[in-house]
PDB file of all heavy atoms in Angstrom:
ATOM      1  N   ARG A 187      -9.740 -10.015 -11.045  1.00 96.00           N
ATOM      2  CA  ARG A 187      -9.912 -10.123  -9.586  1.00 96.00           C
ATOM      3  C   ARG A 187      -8.562 -10.066  -8.890  1.00 96.00           C
ATOM      4  O   ARG A 187      -8.390  -9.391  -7.878  1.00 96.00           O
ATOM      5  CB  ARG A 187     -10.639 -11.417  -9.210  1.00 96.00           C
ATOM      6  CG  ARG A 187     -12.137 -11.322  -9.215  1.00 96.00           C
ATOM      7  CD  ARG A 187     -12.793 -12.541  -8.587  1.00 96.00           C
ATOM      8  NE  ARG A 187     -12.482 -13.789  -9.266  1.00 96.00           N
ATOM      9  CZ  ARG A 187     -13.065 -14.218 -10.384  1.00 96.00           C
ATOM     10  NH1 ARG A 187     -14.019 -13.495 -10.938  1.00 96.00           N
ATOM     11  NH2 ARG A 187     -12.709 -15.353 -10.929  1.00 96.00           N
ATOM     12  N   ARG A 188      -7.599 -10.804  -9.436  1.00 96.00           N
ATOM     13  CA  ARG A 188      -6.261 -10.837  -8.851  1.00 96.00           C
ATOM     14  C   ARG A 188      -5.643  -9.435  -8.854  1.00 96.00           C
ATOM     15  O   ARG A 188      -5.060  -9.005  -7.858  1.00 96.00           O
ATOM     16  CB  ARG A 188      -5.368 -11.818  -9.616  1.00 96.00           C
ATOM     17  CG  ARG A 188      -3.974 -11.940  -9.032  1.00 96.00           C
ATOM     18  CD  ARG A 188      -3.165 -12.981  -9.750  1.00 96.00           C
ATOM     19  NE  ARG A 188      -2.694 -12.468 -11.028  1.00 96.00           N
ATOM     20  CZ  ARG A 188      -1.559 -12.827 -11.596  1.00 96.00           C
ATOM     21  NH1 ARG A 188      -0.778 -13.728 -11.029  1.00 96.00           N
ATOM     22  NH2 ARG A 188      -1.201 -12.328 -12.739  1.00 96.00           N
ATOM     23  N   VAL A 189      -5.785  -8.720  -9.952  1.00 96.00           N
ATOM     24  CA  VAL A 189      -5.244  -7.356 -10.025  1.00 96.00           C
ATOM     25  C   VAL A 189      -5.927  -6.460  -8.999  1.00 96.00           C
ATOM     26  O   VAL A 189      -5.266  -5.713  -8.274  1.00 96.00           O
ATOM     27  CB  VAL A 189      -5.383  -6.784 -11.457  1.00 96.00           C
ATOM     28  CG1 VAL A 189      -5.057  -5.290 -11.487  1.00 96.00           C
ATOM     29  CG2 VAL A 189      -4.496  -7.548 -12.427  1.00 96.00           C
ATOM     30  N   SER A 190      -7.241  -6.518  -8.914  1.00 97.00           N
ATOM     31  CA  SER A 190      -7.967  -5.670  -7.957  1.00 97.00           C
ATOM     32  C   SER A 190      -7.582  -5.991  -6.513  1.00 97.00           C
ATOM     33  O   SER A 190      -7.378  -5.088  -5.699  1.00 97.00           O
ATOM     34  CB  SER A 190      -9.483  -5.805  -8.150  1.00 97.00           C
ATOM     35  OG  SER A 190      -9.872  -5.149  -9.340  1.00 97.00           O
ATOM     36  N   VAL A 191      -7.474  -7.271  -6.186  1.00 97.00           N
ATOM     37  CA  VAL A 191      -7.057  -7.654  -4.833  1.00 97.00           C
ATOM     38  C   VAL A 191      -5.626  -7.193  -4.571  1.00 97.00           C
ATOM     39  O   VAL A 191      -5.311  -6.659  -3.504  1.00 97.00           O
ATOM     40  CB  VAL A 191      -7.203  -9.180  -4.609  1.00 97.00           C
ATOM     41  CG1 VAL A 191      -6.520  -9.631  -3.330  1.00 97.00           C
ATOM     42  CG2 VAL A 191      -8.679  -9.565  -4.604  1.00 97.00           C
ATOM     43  N   ALA A 192      -4.749  -7.382  -5.549  1.00 97.00           N
ATOM     44  CA  ALA A 192      -3.353  -6.956  -5.395  1.00 97.00           C
ATOM     45  C   ALA A 192      -3.271  -5.449  -5.171  1.00 97.00           C
ATOM     46  O   ALA A 192      -2.474  -4.981  -4.343  1.00 97.00           O
ATOM     47  CB  ALA A 192      -2.545  -7.368  -6.623  1.00 97.00           C
ATOM     48  N   LEU A 193      -4.078  -4.682  -5.887  1.00 98.00           N
ATOM     49  CA  LEU A 193      -4.074  -3.231  -5.710  1.00 98.00           C
ATOM     50  C   LEU A 193      -4.607  -2.838  -4.341  1.00 98.00           C
ATOM     51  O   LEU A 193      -4.137  -1.869  -3.734  1.00 98.00           O
ATOM     52  CB  LEU A 193      -4.871  -2.556  -6.827  1.00 98.00           C
ATOM     53  CG  LEU A 193      -4.200  -2.612  -8.200  1.00 98.00           C
ATOM     54  CD1 LEU A 193      -5.170  -2.175  -9.293  1.00 98.00           C
ATOM     55  CD2 LEU A 193      -2.925  -1.773  -8.222  1.00 98.00           C
ATOM     56  N   PHE A 194      -5.572  -3.582  -3.834  1.00 97.00           N
ATOM     57  CA  PHE A 194      -6.070  -3.334  -2.482  1.00 97.00           C
ATOM     58  C   PHE A 194      -4.966  -3.601  -1.459  1.00 97.00           C
ATOM     59  O   PHE A 194      -4.738  -2.801  -0.545  1.00 97.00           O
ATOM     60  CB  PHE A 194      -7.298  -4.203  -2.187  1.00 97.00           C
ATOM     61  CG  PHE A 194      -7.757  -4.086  -0.766  1.00 97.00           C
ATOM     62  CD1 PHE A 194      -8.505  -2.998  -0.346  1.00 97.00           C
ATOM     63  CD2 PHE A 194      -7.421  -5.065   0.166  1.00 97.00           C
ATOM     64  CE1 PHE A 194      -8.911  -2.880   0.975  1.00 97.00           C
ATOM     65  CE2 PHE A 194      -7.826  -4.949   1.485  1.00 97.00           C
ATOM     66  CZ  PHE A 194      -8.576  -3.860   1.890  1.00 97.00           C
ATOM     67  N   VAL A 195      -4.269  -4.715  -1.617  1.00 97.00           N
ATOM     68  CA  VAL A 195      -3.168  -5.063  -0.717  1.00 97.00           C
ATOM     69  C   VAL A 195      -2.071  -4.007  -0.799  1.00 97.00           C
ATOM     70  O   VAL A 195      -1.556  -3.543   0.231  1.00 97.00           O
ATOM     71  CB  VAL A 195      -2.616  -6.475  -1.038  1.00 97.00           C
ATOM     72  CG1 VAL A 195      -1.308  -6.743  -0.312  1.00 97.00           C
ATOM     73  CG2 VAL A 195      -3.658  -7.536  -0.711  1.00 97.00           C
ATOM     74  N   GLU A 196      -1.712  -3.629  -2.012  1.00 97.00           N
ATOM     75  CA  GLU A 196      -0.675  -2.600  -2.204  1.00 97.00           C
ATOM     76  C   GLU A 196      -1.072  -1.310  -1.499  1.00 97.00           C
ATOM     77  O   GLU A 196      -0.270  -0.714  -0.779  1.00 97.00           O
ATOM     78  CB  GLU A 196      -0.459  -2.367  -3.704  1.00 97.00           C
ATOM     79  CG  GLU A 196       0.483  -1.224  -4.046  1.00 97.00           C
ATOM     80  CD  GLU A 196      -0.172   0.137  -4.054  1.00 97.00           C
ATOM     81  OE1 GLU A 196      -1.372   0.238  -4.364  1.00 97.00           O
ATOM     82  OE2 GLU A 196       0.537   1.109  -3.720  1.00 97.00           O
ATOM     83  N   ALA A 197      -2.297  -0.857  -1.700  1.00 96.00           N
ATOM     84  CA  ALA A 197      -2.744   0.403  -1.083  1.00 96.00           C
ATOM     85  C   ALA A 197      -2.743   0.303   0.435  1.00 96.00           C
ATOM     86  O   ALA A 197      -2.321   1.245   1.124  1.00 96.00           O
ATOM     87  CB  ALA A 197      -4.135   0.764  -1.598  1.00 96.00           C
ATOM     88  N   ALA A 198      -3.205  -0.822   0.956  1.00 96.00           N
ATOM     89  CA  ALA A 198      -3.242  -0.990   2.410  1.00 96.00           C
ATOM     90  C   ALA A 198      -1.833  -0.964   3.005  1.00 96.00           C
ATOM     91  O   ALA A 198      -1.601  -0.335   4.047  1.00 96.00           O
ATOM     92  CB  ALA A 198      -3.949  -2.296   2.768  1.00 96.00           C
ATOM     93  N   LEU A 199      -0.902  -1.623   2.349  1.00 96.00           N
ATOM     94  CA  LEU A 199       0.478  -1.651   2.858  1.00 96.00           C
ATOM     95  C   LEU A 199       1.183  -0.308   2.686  1.00 96.00           C
ATOM     96  O   LEU A 199       1.783   0.221   3.626  1.00 96.00           O
ATOM     97  CB  LEU A 199       1.290  -2.737   2.142  1.00 96.00           C
ATOM     98  CG  LEU A 199       0.954  -4.174   2.492  1.00 96.00           C
ATOM     99  CD1 LEU A 199       1.695  -5.133   1.565  1.00 96.00           C
ATOM    100  CD2 LEU A 199       1.303  -4.461   3.943  1.00 96.00           C
ATOM    101  N   VAL A 200       1.124   0.240   1.492  1.00 96.00           N
ATOM    102  CA  VAL A 200       1.874   1.466   1.213  1.00 96.00           C
ATOM    103  C   VAL A 200       1.278   2.651   1.962  1.00 96.00           C
ATOM    104  O   VAL A 200       2.000   3.413   2.613  1.00 96.00           O
ATOM    105  CB  VAL A 200       1.939   1.741  -0.306  1.00 96.00           C
ATOM    106  CG1 VAL A 200       2.509   3.120  -0.596  1.00 96.00           C
ATOM    107  CG2 VAL A 200       2.774   0.669  -0.989  1.00 96.00           C
ATOM    108  N   ASN A 201      -0.034   2.829   1.888  1.00 93.00           N
ATOM    109  CA  ASN A 201      -0.663   3.987   2.528  1.00 93.00           C
ATOM    110  C   ASN A 201      -0.865   3.807   4.023  1.00 93.00           C
ATOM    111  O   ASN A 201      -1.244   4.757   4.707  1.00 93.00           O
ATOM    112  CB  ASN A 201      -1.998   4.310   1.854  1.00 93.00           C
ATOM    113  CG  ASN A 201      -1.795   4.768   0.439  1.00 93.00           C
ATOM    114  OD1 ASN A 201      -0.929   5.599   0.167  1.00 93.00           O
ATOM    115  ND2 ASN A 201      -2.556   4.224  -0.482  1.00 93.00           N
ATOM    116  N   GLY A 202      -0.607   2.617   4.515  1.00 94.00           N
ATOM    117  CA  GLY A 202      -0.722   2.348   5.946  1.00 94.00           C
ATOM    118  C   GLY A 202       0.636   2.309   6.615  1.00 94.00           C
ATOM    119  O   GLY A 202       1.288   3.347   6.792  1.00 94.00           O
ATOM    120  N   PRO A 203       1.099   1.108   6.943  1.00 95.00           N
ATOM    121  CA  PRO A 203       2.319   1.005   7.749  1.00 95.00           C
ATOM    122  C   PRO A 203       3.595   1.522   7.072  1.00 95.00           C
ATOM    123  O   PRO A 203       4.461   2.072   7.750  1.00 95.00           O
ATOM    124  CB  PRO A 203       2.441  -0.499   8.035  1.00 95.00           C
ATOM    125  CG  PRO A 203       1.576  -1.171   7.031  1.00 95.00           C
ATOM    126  CD  PRO A 203       0.496  -0.194   6.665  1.00 95.00           C
ATOM    127  N   ILE A 204       3.708   1.391   5.762  1.00 94.00           N
ATOM    128  CA  ILE A 204       4.960   1.826   5.128  1.00 94.00           C
ATOM    129  C   ILE A 204       5.090   3.350   5.191  1.00 94.00           C
ATOM    130  O   ILE A 204       6.101   3.885   5.649  1.00 94.00           O
ATOM    131  CB  ILE A 204       5.079   1.299   3.686  1.00 94.00           C
ATOM    132  CG1 ILE A 204       5.155  -0.235   3.689  1.00 94.00           C
ATOM    133  CG2 ILE A 204       6.300   1.888   3.001  1.00 94.00           C
ATOM    134  CD1 ILE A 204       5.137  -0.875   2.310  1.00 94.00           C
ATOM    135  N   LYS A 205       4.066   4.074   4.752  1.00 92.00           N
ATOM    136  CA  LYS A 205       4.141   5.537   4.806  1.00 92.00           C
ATOM    137  C   LYS A 205       4.211   6.041   6.248  1.00 92.00           C
ATOM    138  O   LYS A 205       4.921   7.012   6.528  1.00 92.00           O
ATOM    139  CB  LYS A 205       2.954   6.167   4.079  1.00 92.00           C
ATOM    140  CG  LYS A 205       3.094   6.105   2.568  1.00 92.00           C
ATOM    141  CD  LYS A 205       2.014   6.905   1.881  1.00 92.00           C
ATOM    142  CE  LYS A 205       2.156   6.785   0.388  1.00 92.00           C
ATOM    143  NZ  LYS A 205       2.216   8.039  -0.301  1.00 92.00           N
ATOM    144  N   ALA A 206       3.507   5.379   7.151  1.00 92.00           N
ATOM    145  CA  ALA A 206       3.542   5.798   8.558  1.00 92.00           C
ATOM    146  C   ALA A 206       4.936   5.626   9.151  1.00 92.00           C
ATOM    147  O   ALA A 206       5.368   6.420   9.990  1.00 92.00           O
ATOM    148  CB  ALA A 206       2.514   5.011   9.364  1.00 92.00           C
ATOM    149  N   THR A 207       5.655   4.610   8.715  1.00 92.00           N
ATOM    150  CA  THR A 207       7.009   4.369   9.222  1.00 92.00           C
ATOM    151  C   THR A 207       7.954   5.494   8.834  1.00 92.00           C
ATOM    152  O   THR A 207       8.781   5.925   9.636  1.00 92.00           O
ATOM    153  CB  THR A 207       7.545   3.027   8.680  1.00 92.00           C
ATOM    154  OG1 THR A 207       6.702   1.978   9.147  1.00 92.00           O
ATOM    155  CG2 THR A 207       8.980   2.781   9.125  1.00 92.00           C
ATOM    156  N   PHE A 208       7.830   5.995   7.599  1.00 88.00           N
ATOM    157  CA  PHE A 208       8.778   6.996   7.120  1.00 88.00           C
ATOM    158  C   PHE A 208       8.301   8.426   7.332  1.00 88.00           C
ATOM    159  O   PHE A 208       9.088   9.311   7.583  1.00 88.00           O
ATOM    160  CB  PHE A 208       9.113   6.734   5.645  1.00 88.00           C
ATOM    161  CG  PHE A 208       9.858   5.458   5.470  1.00 88.00           C
ATOM    162  CD1 PHE A 208       9.202   4.302   5.081  1.00 88.00           C
ATOM    163  CD2 PHE A 208      11.209   5.389   5.738  1.00 88.00           C
ATOM    164  CE1 PHE A 208       9.881   3.106   4.939  1.00 88.00           C
ATOM    165  CE2 PHE A 208      11.909   4.209   5.608  1.00 88.00           C
ATOM    166  CZ  PHE A 208      11.238   3.059   5.208  1.00 88.00           C
ATOM    167  N   ASN A 209       7.018   8.664   7.207  1.00 85.00           N
ATOM    168  CA  ASN A 209       6.414   9.972   7.473  1.00 85.00           C
ATOM    169  C   ASN A 209       7.213  11.134   6.867  1.00 85.00           C
ATOM    170  O   ASN A 209       7.517  12.103   7.539  1.00 85.00           O
ATOM    171  CB  ASN A 209       6.229  10.167   8.977  1.00 85.00           C
ATOM    172  CG  ASN A 209       5.240  11.266   9.271  1.00 85.00           C
ATOM    173  OD1 ASN A 209       4.360  11.552   8.463  1.00 85.00           O
ATOM    174  ND2 ASN A 209       5.378  11.892  10.420  1.00 85.00           N
ATOM    175  N   ARG A 210       7.544  11.020   5.601  1.00 86.00           N
ATOM    176  CA  ARG A 210       8.299  12.062   4.903  1.00 86.00           C
ATOM    177  C   ARG A 210       7.364  13.153   4.406  1.00 86.00           C
ATOM    178  O   ARG A 210       6.289  12.875   3.870  1.00 86.00           O
ATOM    179  CB  ARG A 210       9.041  11.448   3.724  1.00 86.00           C
ATOM    180  CG  ARG A 210       9.930  12.447   2.996  1.00 86.00           C
ATOM    181  CD  ARG A 210      10.633  11.802   1.829  1.00 86.00           C
ATOM    182  NE  ARG A 210      11.705  12.648   1.325  1.00 86.00           N
ATOM    183  CZ  ARG A 210      12.351  12.400   0.205  1.00 86.00           C
ATOM    184  NH1 ARG A 210      12.068  11.326  -0.521  1.00 86.00           N
ATOM    185  NH2 ARG A 210      13.311  13.203  -0.196  1.00 86.00           N
ATOM    186  N   SER A 211       7.793  14.387   4.543  1.00 84.00           N
ATOM    187  CA  SER A 211       6.966  15.486   4.058  1.00 84.00           C
ATOM    188  C   SER A 211       7.022  15.549   2.534  1.00 84.00           C
ATOM    189  O   SER A 211       7.997  15.145   1.915  1.00 84.00           O
ATOM    190  CB  SER A 211       7.416  16.814   4.665  1.00 84.00           C
ATOM    191  OG  SER A 211       8.747  17.076   4.302  1.00 84.00           O
TER     192      SER A 211
END
């Protein structure tokens, strides 16, 4: 459960605000 929740958090952060901030091609 901890791994699955952590992966959800990671995906939300990385694919959301972090990638949007850098927007590298």
Side-chain angles (χ1 to χ4, degrees):
R187 273 191 300 280
R188 182 176 77 149
V189 170
S190 287
V191 168
L193 290 169
F194 174 79
V195 169
E196 174 276 329
L199 288 172
V200 171
N201 294 314
I204 296 174
K205 284 188 182 233
T207 298
F208 294 99
N209 198 26
R210 184 181 193 189
S211 61

